[in-house]
Amino acid sequence: MASAATTSYPIKTVVVLVQENRSFDHMLGWMKSLHPKIDGVTGHESNPLSTTDPSSGRVTFGDGAAYVDPDPGHSIQAIYEQVFGEPWSEESAAKKLAPRMEGFAQNAERIEKGMSKTVMSGFTPESVPVYKELVGEFAVCDRWFASMPASTQPNRLFVHSATSHGATSNDSLKLIEGYPQKTIFESMDEAGFTFGIYYEYPPATLFYRNLRKLKYLKNFHQFDLHFKAHCKEGKLPNYVVVEQRYFDLSILPGNDDHPSHDVSQGQKFVKEVYEALRSSPQWNEILFVITYDEHGGFYDHVPTPVDGVPSPDGIVGPDPYKFQFDRLGVRVPAILISPWIERGTVLHKPTGPHPTSQYEHSSIAATVKKIFNLRSFLTKRDEWAGTFEVVLNRSSPRTDCPVTLSEPARLREAGAKEESKLNDFQQILVQMAAALNGDHKKDIYPDKLVENMTVGEAVKYVKDAHETFCDHCDKAKESGAEGDEIVVLGNRPTRGTTKNFAQKLFSCIICDN
């Protein structure tokens, strides 16, 4: 339940939903046809098939986006080519090229012939009817960027901690202990506010080491069992994170928007979350933020900011890129929802706090700090990032916000591919689960564990692993373990000794003081 602690803003609960791997132009670019103030697409945008061959022809951005399979490139090297127009090399990086956003088609064709048409295409407003209504009824930000030009895991780390702690890709080894940086969750807790994470599969927020502490186990709730009930009962905490289904099953389709998942399932999920919030007695105190972790290789025409972006903490990325965390990623969708927002609001570039400040994922922590008057920033990045409380542009809450949203039509004709191999993010979720249940001690960790695993097998594995971790956490608490301790399974007892249950249990606990 939201804390009774007071703030100077009408917002008492901030709800965050971060979807997967889509650019602004791909998802919302064609909304410009309905709302001219949006910096979207006109149909004149294009990319060359080859940036070095003028005769290669150009691919014009279209409106035929629907079901996407396979997945476009979105590694740090792929994004470099998409933004700067040539493959990454030390020599190229030294040139400090301008971000011309001309390499999307070229990079796509390098992955698969014909993929350029896929990445150079966006959804019509009618294809994403839930977003069409939300953009018209509330606010869209057309200058929100991924925190860094890299894949899912580093950008998701930025969302709640304003840093990836040096990660520039999905790093399975760092998952064993968890990423150590402070998060907005601890900042809220220290100030007497509450937070809750509502998950559908084992939560990706367990990437953070501190959230594995015994004292925070109570903050995790199964979405299907608790989210709507907490909305109805007015029990949502001050900071709410909603996590989606990252795996695609026939009976429970993936709803995170990651290719090759059906975007209509993501639309249904946003609709479900919105309608639960709208029906809550807390509605007049809610700000709901929807964004995407990174662009997923899809085209966007707005140049990526490369000037005046501060490193969060001075950590340099690993070889060979040695990324300095001094430029942002590609622009991604961001929709802001509250009864305190005028219909059809469009949020452009922020006016501060610094001349070069931008909206990016660290803006979430920065805005939460401002709304709840928290003591300190997490890193230099959220200190720099623009805050979006300015979107609350009414003196009183609206009474005409829609109670329900449109039902989206299915975009994928075939069923889920439960026997398919895992995408990069699904692999890292399985590896995180292995760090929770102790399988990280086995020879199969990290690569052999996932190399032949199917989606269907992964779902069972992560569910069982998470339940095992939670069971041991409960037993640790019952045995008197302190709240700041973290259960680590898989520690092997010293040879030649025998232990009773309590000794075995506490050999699996480490103190985090």
Side-chain angles (χ1 to χ4, degrees), residues 19 22-35 63-67 121-136 257 261-268 270-271 292 333 335 405-411:
Q19 292 285 76
R22 307 279 177 163
S23 73
F24 185 96
D25 279 345
H26 178 63
M27 293 300 296
L28 302 180
W30 288 108
M31 296 288 176
K32 183 178 178 66
S33 63
L34 303 178
H35 307 281
D63 63 359
Y67 172 60
S121 187
F123 289 91
T124 64
E126 293 72 28
S127 297
V128 283
V130 172
Y131 284 170
K132 177 185 176 182
E133 288 185 74
L134 293 176
V135 167
D257 283 352
H261 301 165
D262 187 346
V263 164
S264 71
Q265 294 294 332
Q267 292 285 283
K268 289 180 181 179
V270 172
K271 168 183 164 70
Y292 284 68
I335 299 174
L405 300 175
S406 298
E407 185 70 30
R410 183 175 178 175
L411 297 177

Side-chain angles (χ1 to χ4, degrees), residues 148 158 162-168 174 179-181 310-318 322-326 379-381:
M148 59 177 295
F158 262 94
T163 180
S164 68
H165 199 69
T168 59
K174 287 185 179 179
Y179 284 82
Q181 65 263 39
S311 169
D313 40 30
I315 301 175
V316 177
K322 297 184 177 68
F323 187 62
Q324 302 290 317
F325 296 90
D326 54 358
T379 70
K380 292 179 180 178
R381 182 63 74 81

Side-chain angles (χ1 to χ4, degrees), residues 353-416:
H354 299 277
T356 60
S357 292
Q358 301 283 350
Y359 291 118
E360 52 112 329
H361 299 329
S362 302
S363 294
I364 294 175
T367 303
V368 169
K369 177 187 179 297
K370 180 171 281 191
I371 288 176
F372 294 100
N373 194 27
L374 302 181
R375 184 179 301 117
S376 59
F377 291 103
L378 296 170
T379 70
K380 292 179 180 178
R381 182 63 74 81
D382 59 318
E383 185 178 8
W384 166 87
T387 57
F388 50 84
E389 80 289 344
V390 294
V391 79
L392 305 170
N393 53 10
R394 288 180 54 89
S395 59
S396 62
R398 287 167 50 193
T399 59
D400 63 345
C401 302
V403 175
T404 60
L405 300 175
S406 298
E407 185 70 30
R410 183 175 178 175
L411 297 177
R412 181 178 66 184
E413 295 182 4

Side-chain angles (χ1 to χ4, degrees), residues 214-215 217-218 472-481 505:
L214 292 176
K215 66 181 179 181
L217 193 65
K218 67 183 186 301
H472 279 77
C473 287
D474 287 338
K475 292 173 183 176
K477 289 191 295 182
E478 291 170 2
S479 299
L505 176 62

Side-chain angles (χ1 to χ4, degrees), residues 207-265:
F207 285 156
Y208 301 113
R209 172 185 177 82
N210 290 333
L211 287 187
R212 301 179 189 179
K213 291 181 179 179
L214 292 176
K215 66 181 179 181
Y216 291 139
L217 193 65
K218 67 183 186 301
N219 297 81
F220 289 86
H221 313 281
Q222 289 188 44
F223 178 87
D224 293 333
L225 297 179
H226 300 292
F227 183 72
K228 290 181 181 179
H230 287 183
C231 287
K232 182 178 181 180
E233 297 163 6
K235 292 182 178 180
L236 291 176
N238 299 112
Y239 188 62
V240 174
V241 173
V242 178
E243 294 206 47
Q244 53 281 84
R245 292 192 295 267
Y246 302 111
F247 297 90
D248 194 32
L249 300 179
S250 297
I251 58 171
L252 289 172
N255 55 14
D256 60 352
D257 283 352
H258 192 300
S260 59
H261 301 165
D262 187 346
V263 164
S264 71
Q265 294 294 332

